[in-house]
Amino acid sequence: MKKLAFLFLLFFFISVSAQNFNETHKKIRNSVENRDYQTAINELQNLRQTDRKIFEINNYDYLLARLSEKQGDLANAAANYLSVVNRDSVLMEYALWHLAEISRSTGNLFLERMYLHELLANTPESLIGDAANARIARSYFESKDYDSAIAALRSNVNSGEVKISEKISLPTLSPNETFGNLTKNDARTRENLVLLGKSYLQNRKNAQARTVFSKLVDELPNPAQPDDFALEGVRGLDKLDVGEENFGKTAPYLTDKEHIKRATIYQFNRDFDNARLHYQGLIADFPKNPNVPFAMYQIGRGFVQERNFSKATDWFERIRAEFPDNSYSQDALNQSASAYSRVNKTKEAISRYENYIDKYPTDENLSRAYFNIVDVLRDKGETVNALKWTAKIREAFKGKLPEAIAIFAQARINISQKDWQKALEDLDSLNSFENLGGETVSGGTNKEEIKFLKGYVLEQLSRYDEAIDAYLSIPDGRKSYYGWRANEKLRMLANDAKTSDIVKQKFYPLRIETTQPITTQNAESIKQAAQSALRLLSDAQNNNESVSLKESLLSVLRQTYSILPEYKTIPDPILLEFGRREVLQESRKSSENFHQTIADELLFLGLYDEGTPELETAWQSAVGSEQENKDQKYTLAVYYKRGDMAYRAVAYIEPLWRKIPDDYQIELIPRGQIELLYPAPYSDSLLKFAAPRSVDPLFVLSVMRQESRYRADVKSVSAARGLMQFISTTSNQIAFELDKTNFKQDDLYHPPTAIAFGSQYLSNLFHQFPDQPQAVAASYNGGEDNMARWYARSNSNDADRYVPEILYAQSKDYVYKVMQNYRIYQIIYDENLKSKN
């Protein structure tokens, strides 16, 4: 009996102990997920003191190191990473990687390389092996050990450290040797070649350096979009040709084609100073060359991009004077007019637009000159003359698209002057046009905008019944800007004592229709009735009644969705759980699948950023059913979202939701899926940099979603970099404001830096346009000086009046999308980026 009692007590204490450990683990995980890192750190430190064995066999020292590093306590982080390494933990490779990063951050590059070499020696199959190899080479370069850097880089390129279509052979590297076809190589290979060329340059092995730089310039993955590495290539070639001390000051003597090639790469990457040197070199050395007008024009365009309009006009006027019959003279005339308007030389601007109209009457873009005159006159406050020109446009382009755009311009002018009746007549007349320009034509519009503006004007005329019908005629959905704006208007009317009865008269027939039995024949009409009724619900109603009505209408919608074929196809994957669930009390054998073992440990600790790639690698050899594969893809998307690799989540979910009608009720989208469509990555950086600058982190996310789809390493066709897609002129200004003395454009690929810059710039814009997110979004895309002009033309701080004034089609569409993002972000997250669900 005593033996049985002892065994019972032993079992009891083990059970209690396991339960206590599991409770502690749950508390730690919850603290990490809620970004309460200090509480998690305290719990981990207590656990280490209470039971060091449990602490270590569960790799809690690795989690403690990660959290300490996140909190800036590098000494504690390094000590715990060393603990992981010294006991040969399965997470040793990741600990070594972080130790190398900490060493680098403290300037100890020798120690960094020691850790990286140890990582490669102990875990040659590691997923971070390629990154370790690349970092070793760069570490040698930063240590100015160029011979070792060259050896490491040549080894990286030869070994094909990244999977490339054709390996680059570098057995001896004579100056005339080729590298193979670089156009098929990926970014890592080209990055290594940049560093290799720079290493040769520093070692004064100029012939070898020239070979590398020339290949980077001549063999581009996309010739229409020369990448960062091509930019480094032309910089390297220029340094070889004029010397380091003269770089950026003197253009080398080159062939005309070489000047154009290098200038084009500089210009695309917005290095306008160096582009000008080559364009001017061409002009000086080859004055009779047929490319001289092109070079002059590009110099002018560069000054326009830098907003130096006075210098731009000098170059455009020079083209007209020296090459009056060249095709670039026509473009220069148009550009000079635009530049004059930017420096408030109204007469000069209008005279050149008029000259353009007279000289090029058959030009396919002739109408743009007419519209530009209207804009110049509006900026000058000459409304009457502006209306005279819209009448001229309507007459000159009768029955064509410019006539519709002219009527829309006329409507905007009348709205700005509060001439509601004339504005209504203009908007009604646009109903006869099929093509309104949409998001492809400057100054264009679309049916939804016209319907909304008509509702807005009817509201100003106190014709509320018609205004409500106009607003209801615009379908709502997560992709409809004006559907959302119509909702806001309808809610305002429902809550206004003056108009609430009119809204109720619209609501009750719709509500009655939704109470009918739903069949395949009437499901569509009942769906529409339920959607409209939801939009007419008043916040001023008894709260319980309002909630009950809303739930009832949402229930009706669910039923219609279950019948309508296109609404039934929403994805229905299951989230799989991976990573071990229990706290280990004894060591256990590793799985035969090396990456699965690592994934289990990292996911157990909640470290999805490192655990998810390991899990995906572990699954690559597995073969499952179609449903299992769907569930795995969904699970990976969720885990990547949790690990701040949200671009992978969006890439998974967006194609699935493109098949679903846009008016799918936002509240009925499954929570897990809407958070994949609108994830909230980089929350620590967003709360650190955006909130203190009085910028809503949700708005920063809304911009980020549109700019980069959360991908940190992207570069646009206009050479904008990183999560927030900064161009060099803006980022240099922000770097000055943030006192970033050693700022490089490539720093924008680092998420915290990109978010800090984005938050600062958005803060500046909100100071210019207080409480006007639409104006800020338009400024972010089209420039704050342009937005200031559009804003002033509207004669109002009402977004519903100034958004239609946004002339750039791309910028207006950008505002639509950013504000759609912002609307949904506000629905699903709170101000601390935590899910409201």
Side-chain angles (χ1 to χ4, degrees), residues 728 731-732 735 740-748 753 757:
S728 58
S731 59
N732 287 336
K740 299 278 188 182
T741 52
N742 297 316
F743 170 70
K744 302 184 294 295
Q745 293 300 319
D746 285 358
D747 293 345
L748 295 169
T753 301
F757 275 54

Side-chain angles (χ1 to χ4, degrees), residues 47-83:
L47 179 59
R48 178 170 55 191
Q49 292 176 353
T50 304
D51 196 319
R52 194 175 190 91
K53 176 185 173 184
I54 295 294
F55 180 80
E56 290 185 348
I57 64 174
N58 286 281
N59 288 299
Y60 283 126
D61 44 359
Y62 183 74
L63 178 59
L64 179 56
R66 286 290 309 272
L67 297 178
S68 299
E69 189 176 3
K70 191 181 284 288
Q71 294 286 81
D73 185 355
L74 299 186
N76 193 38
N80 280 282
Y81 285 133
L82 281 170
S83 171

Side-chain angles (χ1 to χ4, degrees), residues 584 586-592 597 600-601:
L584 294 179
E586 296 293 338
S587 298
R588 68 177 183 182
K589 272 189 172 183
S590 297
S591 161
E592 291 183 6
T597 299
D600 285 343
E601 294 304 307

Side-chain angles (χ1 to χ4, degrees), residues 99-115 139 143:
L99 283 166
E101 286 186 319
I102 291 171
S103 301
R104 178 167 77 253
S105 71
T106 58
N108 193 335
L109 298 177
F110 176 76
L111 188 57
E112 175 196 22
R113 294 192 294 275
M114 282 186 58
Y115 287 130
S139 181
S143 300

Side-chain angles (χ1 to χ4, degrees), residues 181-185 190 216-230 264-265 268-269 715-717:
N181 183 359
L182 297 192
T183 60
K184 295 182 180 179
N185 297 340
R190 287 177 65 77
L216 285 165
V217 169
D218 293 339
E219 298 179 4
L220 300 170
N222 183 353
Q225 299 175 22
D227 57 19
D228 295 352
F229 311 119
T264 299
I265 292 172
F268 176 82
N269 285 279
K715 180 179 177 183
S716 76
V717 294

Side-chain angles (χ1 to χ4, degrees), residues 562-581:
S562 69
I563 292 174
L564 296 167
E566 62 271 33
Y567 292 84
K568 292 169 61 175
T569 58
I570 67 165
D572 59 346
I574 297 170
L575 180 64
L576 306 175
E577 291 295 334
F578 284 91
R580 58 184 171 86
R581 307 261 67 80

Side-chain angles (χ1 to χ4, degrees), residues 89-267:
S89 164
V90 70
L91 299 183
M92 177 177 65
E93 64 189 89
Y94 285 95
L96 287 166
W97 174 261
H98 287 285
L99 283 166
E101 286 186 319
I102 291 171
S103 301
R104 178 167 77 253
S105 71
T106 58
N108 193 335
L109 298 177
F110 176 76
L111 188 57
E112 175 196 22
R113 294 192 294 275
M114 282 186 58
Y115 287 130
L116 293 174
H117 281 300
E118 187 177 353
L119 185 162
L120 293 168
N122 284 298
T123 52
E125 69 273 49
S126 172
L127 292 185
I128 51 179
D130 290 347
N133 274 315
R135 186 54 223 171
I136 287 169
R138 186 165 286 277
S139 181
Y140 279 127
F141 180 84
E142 291 171 1
S143 300
K144 299 184 179 180
D145 182 352
Y146 300 116
D147 286 330
S148 296
I150 289 168
L153 289 161
R154 284 160 55 85
S155 174
N156 286 350
V157 173
N158 275 330
S159 66
E161 63 159 2
V162 217
K163 292 182 176 65
I164 55 178
S165 299
E166 296 180 37
K167 289 187 179 179
I168 301 174
S169 178
L170 295 171
T172 55
L173 193 67
S174 66
N176 298 321
E177 211 169 340
T178 63
F179 293 98
N181 183 359
L182 297 192
T183 60
K184 295 182 180 179
N185 297 340
D186 66 6
R188 178 66 61 79
T189 303
R190 287 177 65 77
E191 182 181 9
N192 279 334
L193 288 170
V194 167
L195 211 57
L196 182 61
K198 288 182 176 180
S199 298
Y200 281 129
L201 189 62
Q202 292 296 327
N203 255 6
R204 291 184 169 79
K205 294 182 178 179
N206 292 352
Q208 290 91 332
R210 186 176 295 278
T211 301
V212 175
F213 291 139
S214 295
K215 286 295 180 182
L216 285 165
V217 169
D218 293 339
E219 298 179 4
L220 300 170
N222 183 353
Q225 299 175 22
D227 57 19
D228 295 352
F229 311 119
L231 176 63
E232 293 298 336
V234 291
R235 285 174 175 166
L237 290 172
D238 277 358
K239 288 174 183 177
L240 285 168
D241 290 333
V242 300
E244 186 86 36
E245 66 283 0
N246 292 316
F247 173 70
K249 302 174 185 176
T250 306
Y253 185 80
L254 303 168
T255 66
D256 56 338
K257 291 181 180 179
E258 188 65 20
H259 270 308
I260 291 292
K261 181 198 301 180
R262 295 190 193 181
T264 299
I265 292 172
Y266 280 126
Q267 189 89 341

